[in-house]
Amino acid sequence: MSSFPDGWQPTQLRDSGKWLSGGTPSTTTPEYWNGDIPWISSGSLTNFRLWDSDRRITDLGAEHGTRIVKAGTILMVVRGMSLKTEFRLGIAQRDMAFGQDCKALVAGPGIEPEFLAYSIAARSQHILGIVDEAGHGTGRLNSDQLYAVEIGVPTMAEQQAIAQLLSALDDKIAANTKLAVTAVSLGRALYRSAINRPDAVSVQLRNVANNVAGRYLAKEDYVSDGPYFVFGSNSVMGRHDRALQQGGFAVLAKIGSYCGNLRWSQRPAWVNNNASAIVPMTGTEPSVLRHGLDLIDMTPHRAGTGQPYIRMESLFSAELKVPASDVSSKVAPILESLSELEVRLGEENLTLASTRNALLPQLMSGKLRVKDAEKVLENAGV
């Protein structure tokens, strides 16, 4: 007997649309890369709405070893380290290509694409439960088990109403994210203007910041209620006794496939052994350190066939260009206010995402109807 309301059709994912596999054009052929077509991989599939990627291919690359999908196509990670802790999926907002670690799903007749994407997202915990290991700790989703996952499909009108309500939350998250990126860009431009003055000075990174190495975190240390963030799977913040008790520091992935990625945390956080925290010393403005680090070369080293890594000793010997003290005292408050705006928008996004995640399984099971969900949002001031 179906657990869905009357009028909802139980449907397995295998019957919800057309499934497609991706691929990777030869990375040794320059003519295939650095074009205009976003190429989504397990590492770059980090947003629900997919507009772009850190890697792009050319039209020639699209003809050799990969596949182009249209806007409205759902993409999901089916192989990768990230499957240990999260199930990533998104919906293409433009034509794009994707790698073999992802699957694509084109919604079938009678199913609204965004509704389908949200329906799959609502089954994330179940899907994570069927992940097995492909070796070297890499997670893998068995296609037959994935295709057998069941969702409920109501009338098109109700599908559209549910998708519209959830999309409103994601649209606000996207707008906040865009504004936060603008704040960071303004801060970066102001900082570069300040250090282009003739009175700017250079100091070694070791004289203005400390290197706090992370430690091993077991799988049970990882938590979904944070505070944490992810460099792929290589730098997940989790609960442990080695805690940084205040925000305002950088986290650098120092080994592995995401080596060289640098993130800034305004919140308390826990760092695993694949990363280090770069913590400003007393007297160093965090906002100055943040933007100064952006200008230091973080290119990883590689020894033979081993994993890429950052030589932390060399990094902390690097010269950091900073504004003169009188200039710093003027720009630091502006940089700090921009950082505070970024943090406020980030905190609002956490609330919005939490609200969406709470509504998602209720709406997708039919236990909560759209009108009731709208009242919940109104009462919560969202």
Side-chain angles (χ1 to χ4, degrees):
M1 183 176 179
S2 172
S3 60
F4 298 106
D6 290 342
W8 287 53
Q9 181 66 42
T11 304
Q12 289 189 339
L13 290 184
R14 72 173 77 253
D15 302 318
S16 65
K18 183 178 180 180
W19 288 87
L20 303 169
S21 298
T24 305
S26 172
T27 55
T28 61
T29 306
E31 292 81 8
Y32 293 169
W33 295 93
N34 299 316
D36 297 322
I37 303 168
W39 181 80
I40 301 295
S41 66
S42 59
S44 61
L45 206 170
T46 55
N47 296 306
F48 181 71
R49 286 193 172 80
L50 302 173
W51 288 99
D52 210 344
S53 176
D54 57 345
R55 302 190 72 183
R56 291 181 163 211
I57 61 171
T58 62
D59 289 333
L60 185 62
E63 297 172 3
H64 293 82
T66 189
R67 184 191 299 272
I68 299 290
V69 292
K70 300 291 186 182
T73 301
I74 300 162
L75 296 172
M76 63 196 78
V77 175
V78 295
R79 180 186 172 93
M81 297 287 285
S82 64
L83 279 171
K84 284 183 171 183
T85 55
E86 61 178 331
F87 174 59
R88 298 180 180 179
L89 85 160
I91 184 165
Q93 305 299 301
R94 53 174 290 188
D95 290 2
M96 53 182 52
F98 62 104
Q100 64 271 22
D101 288 342
C102 300
K103 285 276 190 184
L105 174 58
V106 181
I111 303 183
E112 205 278 333
E114 281 209 352
F115 172 84
L116 180 56
Y118 283 122
S119 293
I120 299 171
R123 301 303 311 276
S124 290
Q125 289 306 308
H126 172 78
I127 291 171
L128 284 175
I130 61 176
V131 171
D132 60 20
E133 197 163 294
H136 304 290
T138 300
R140 176 183 59 190
L141 273 170
N142 177 277
S143 294
D144 287 338
Q145 289 180 292
L146 177 62
Y147 297 163
V149 171
E150 189 176 76
I151 62 171
V153 181
T155 64
M156 179 58 75
E158 189 162 3
Q159 289 181 50
Q160 292 171 340
I162 292 172
Q164 184 176 6
L165 185 145
L166 293 169
S167 291
L169 293 170
D170 278 317
D171 286 343
K172 177 60 175 171
I173 291 172
N176 283 351
T177 301
K178 185 176 181 179
L179 183 54
V181 169
T182 299
V184 172
S185 297
L186 288 173
R188 185 177 295 121
L190 176 60
Y191 184 83
R192 295 193 180 197
S193 176
I195 63 172
N196 282 334
R197 292 167 51 98
D199 55 359
V201 296
S202 293
V203 296
Q204 282 193 331
L205 180 58
R206 68 176 72 257
N207 293 325
V208 293
N210 292 313
N211 173 24
V212 181
R215 62 171 295 166
Y216 175 74
L217 297 177
K219 184 175 181 180
E220 57 267 22
D221 294 315
Y222 299 126
V223 291
S224 60
D225 56 351
Y228 74 100
F229 54 83
V230 182
F231 288 125
S233 62
N234 286 340
S235 181
V236 180
M237 304 299 184
R239 281 201 180 94
H240 214 283
D241 56 1
R242 180 71 172 272
L244 296 171
Q245 296 300 330
Q246 60 184 15
F249 61 90
V251 182
L252 174 66
K254 62 185 180 183
I255 189 169
S257 57
Y258 289 87
C259 183
N261 276 280
L262 186 74
R263 299 281 178 87
W264 188 261
S265 178
Q266 293 283 21
R267 310 173 68 205
W270 289 255
V271 185
N272 82 346
N273 58 319
N274 287 333
S276 275
I278 301 175
V279 184
M281 292 179 177
T282 302
T284 301
E285 292 286 349
S287 56
V288 169
L289 175 64
R290 175 182 188 175
H291 293 292
L293 285 170
D294 283 344
L295 302 177
I296 290 183
D297 183 12
M298 299 286 181
T299 303
H301 299 275
R302 186 186 292 272
T305 59
Q307 293 191 85
Y309 66 97
I310 296 289
R311 292 193 179 106
M312 299 303 291
E313 181 66 25
S314 298
L315 176 65
F316 273 76
S317 297
E319 294 289 323
L320 186 75
K321 199 169 183 182
V322 299
S325 57
D326 59 329
V327 177
S328 181
S329 65
K330 294 176 182 177
V331 301
I334 302 173
L335 294 175
E336 190 60 32
S337 66
L338 291 170
S339 292
E340 289 174 357
L341 172 60
E342 181 193 4
V343 170
R344 180 176 61 78
L345 292 168
E347 294 292 343
E348 184 177 334
N349 276 358
L350 287 175
T351 299
L352 291 167
S354 178
T355 301
R356 178 202 57 207
N357 293 342
L359 291 175
L360 192 57
Q362 299 296 314
L363 284 167
M364 293 305 170
S365 64
K367 295 177 181 178
L368 181 69
R369 310 314 282 260
V370 172
K371 288 184 179 180
D372 296 323
E374 289 172 342
K375 291 177 182 177
V376 171
L377 294 180
E378 183 179 346
N379 293 335
V382 177

